[in-house]
Amino acid sequence: MSAPDQKTLAPQRWDDLRALIRDSGVIRVEDLCRRLGVSPATVRRDLDQLERAGAIRRVHGGAVSVETRLDEPLFADKRSLAAREKRRIAEAAAGMVAPGDTIYLDGGSTVLELARLLRDRSNLTVVTNSLHAAHELSGRGPRLIVVGGELRRLSQTLVGPLTRLVLGELHLDKAFMGTIGFALEEGLTTTDPSEAFTKQIVLGRARQVIVLADSSKAGKVSFARAGDWTQVHVVITDQQVDTAFQKALLRKGIKLIRV
């Protein structure tokens, strides 16, 4: 049997390589060999090709991603990612909601899971900029206040300067926030400056800020800063978050709940 045609296989392998390097940030040649099931010589040739194309940067013994901007998937796609972890995170968050609370529900698939758990809680006031969350709570449950603003279709949220007109008049007991990425130096980040604007207003209006984010977002940085760690009180995530990352958050005075 003749050997596989490397030229035919290479484009798919390059896509796989880029994805592995992008997700890891930096990765060694031996790790790429193990993940892809190819020889070191093949990996090195592929890395050379990707570096010439400007997709990655070679370093001694491996490669570094140059794709620094974290792209945002479609909302329908996000709902299927880490679904079990998101459900558990939402359940832990629901346990923090007390009768009589006025809470804010941010956009995002994990926060939407929380909205679903609050549908029978009529003794709350929910403020949200998420059309998905508003739809979940429109038939029954908490008193509902929807923040007006410019529609961001990708996330189905209302964002931008107009949101200040409502949010600037409210006092929130708790704000449950989603995020595209959260990193130790950069804080909370998202892909859209208008969405970041609205998130920052909310963080300044809440007595307690709780970030709901699965571990795949830890250490990831997106385009626009949406909040500093000094504004965050609690992070609810899953068991897979890196131990060093956990300790760093604790040193910042942030309560970390792993589910």
Side-chain angles (χ1 to χ4, degrees):
M1 181 180 295
S2 61
D5 182 355
Q6 292 296 323
K7 291 184 179 179
T8 301
L9 299 176
Q12 179 60 54
R13 195 171 62 246
W14 294 341
D15 286 343
D16 293 342
L17 267 173
R18 285 184 63 176
L20 287 170
I21 297 167
R22 182 176 63 246
D23 291 345
S24 301
V26 59
I27 194 167
R28 298 177 301 174
V29 168
E30 52 262 43
D31 293 329
L32 291 169
C33 294
R34 186 181 69 254
R35 299 284 292 274
L36 297 174
V38 297
S39 69
T42 298
V43 167
R44 291 189 181 98
R45 284 196 301 270
D46 289 346
L47 292 178
D48 288 342
Q49 177 66 33
L50 290 175
E51 186 174 47
R52 285 194 294 272
I56 60 102
R57 179 166 60 87
R58 291 292 307 273
V59 295
H60 180 70
V64 175
S65 175
V66 297
E67 300 176 64
T68 55
R69 180 168 179 249
L70 184 62
D71 292 326
E72 180 178 358
L74 294 173
F75 192 92
D77 295 334
K78 288 195 291 185
R79 290 174 61 179
S80 64
L81 300 174
R84 183 174 61 178
E85 289 83 355
K86 290 177 180 180
R87 179 71 179 186
R88 290 176 176 173
I89 290 169
E91 289 170 349
M96 299 181 67
V97 179
D101 272 350
T102 295
I103 67 170
Y104 181 83
L105 297 183
D106 191 28
S109 53
T110 308
V111 181
L112 179 60
E113 287 295 323
L114 173 58
R116 293 189 175 118
L117 296 176
L118 300 177
R119 283 183 294 197
D120 295 323
R121 302 276 295 271
S122 59
N123 54 355
L124 305 171
T125 296
V126 171
V127 182
T128 187
N129 72 328
S130 167
L131 296 187
H132 288 298
H135 177 72
E136 288 292 334
L137 299 173
S138 62
R140 65 183 189 276
R143 178 190 183 196
L144 181 63
I145 299 172
V146 180
V147 176
E150 179 184 353
L151 175 63
R152 183 168 184 255
R153 289 184 173 85
L154 180 61
S155 60
Q156 291 292 289
T157 51
L158 298 161
V159 299
L162 289 174
T163 60
R164 189 203 301 269
L165 298 175
V166 173
L167 291 172
E169 300 298 319
L170 301 179
H171 299 281
L172 306 165
D173 295 309
K174 301 178 179 78
F176 294 92
M177 307 299 294
T179 186
I180 296 297
F182 61 109
L184 294 177
E185 297 299 325
E186 294 81 0
L188 309 180
T189 55
T190 187
T191 57
D192 184 76
S194 292
E195 186 167 67
F197 178 93
T198 297
K199 286 175 182 285
Q200 289 173 1
I201 292 176
V202 172
L203 266 55
R205 306 302 299 175
R207 289 192 301 107
Q208 187 177 33
V209 173
I210 302 107
V211 174
L212 312 184
D214 64 84
S215 59
S216 68
K217 299 176 180 179
K220 302 294 177 65
V221 180
S222 192
F223 178 59
R225 181 188 290 269
D228 297 321
W229 288 119
T230 56
Q231 301 170 289
V232 176
H233 302 90
V234 181
V235 172
I236 307 179
T237 186
D238 58 67
Q239 295 283 346
Q240 303 305 313
V241 69
D242 180 77
T243 301
F245 197 94
Q246 298 175 39
K247 292 179 178 178
L249 286 183
L250 293 173
R251 286 195 295 270
K252 291 178 181 291
I254 296 166
K255 182 178 180 180
L256 184 69
I257 299 174
R258 295 186 302 147
V259 297

